[in-house]
Amino acid sequence: MSLATFFIVSFGESVGILYCAVFRHVGFALSLISINLGLFQITTGFLSVKLRPTIDAILNINPLRFSATVLVNAEIQPMRFSCDEPVFPECLETGDDVMDFYHFDHTSMESFLILALLGIAYRILSFLALTYLPRLQG
């Protein structure tokens, strides 16, 4: 879990480096960073359970989605719940039921490997942007 948290922090830093490398005005870059990270957080799967297939395919570049899967696998899967009055159409009694409800279908190791690859890819992309892109007026 600590490595998943490390890659989440690294992803945020990489997005910050990427936007600050592109735009000269730091305040404008910070606004874009907040919008980008906010959208990525909303589309992890907790607040947006069902998305259109095209948008869902595009969001496979979102490392927060895979980190959520790793963290949910570690925390919720061994749990058991009871519900007298189901809030949802069905009662979610086990951690596997919760994971099926939120469509977290990757295994924990598969999600972690994807998260690590995306974290490294975003860090390389931010380094390349910092090295080769001219700063735009923002």
Side-chain angles (χ1 to χ4, degrees):
M1 270 188 10
S2 58
L3 282 174
T5 306
F6 169 77
F7 282 115
I8 294 169
V9 172
S10 176
F11 165 68
E13 289 175 350
S14 297
V15 170
I17 292 168
L18 183 63
Y19 278 109
C20 285
V22 173
F23 297 103
R24 183 170 293 158
H25 194 276
V26 177
F28 182 68
L30 184 62
S31 296
L32 291 178
I33 293 166
S34 297
I35 291 169
N36 190 358
L37 291 178
L39 287 174
F40 273 170
Q41 184 62 40
I42 288 171
T43 57
T44 57
F46 294 113
L47 297 176
S48 57
V49 177
K50 282 282 195 182
L51 294 172
R52 293 178 186 220
T54 53
I55 295 173
D56 198 38
I58 291 171
L59 289 174
N60 282 328
I61 64 168
N62 182 1
L64 297 177
R65 173 179 269 189
F66 298 104
S67 68
T69 304
V70 170
L71 296 176
V72 166
N73 270 328
E75 295 298 323
I76 290 184
Q77 195 164 17
M79 293 181 141
R80 297 203 49 86
F81 308 102
S82 64
C83 51
D84 298 328
E85 299 175 19
V87 177
F88 300 112
E90 59 187 57
C91 182
L92 304 175
E93 294 180 351
T94 65
D96 290 329
D97 292 341
V98 174
M99 291 178 58
D100 289 340
F101 178 76
Y102 284 112
H103 303 288
F104 289 141
D105 54 355
H106 297 287
T107 63
S108 185
M109 185 54 93
E110 178 184 345
S111 294
F112 180 75
L113 289 175
I114 294 171
L115 173 65
L117 290 173
L118 283 173
I120 292 168
Y122 272 100
R123 187 56 73 157
I124 290 171
L125 182 66
S126 65
F127 174 75
L128 292 174
L130 190 61
T131 305
Y132 296 111
L133 285 180
R135 295 179 108 190
L136 302 175
Q137 296 293 330

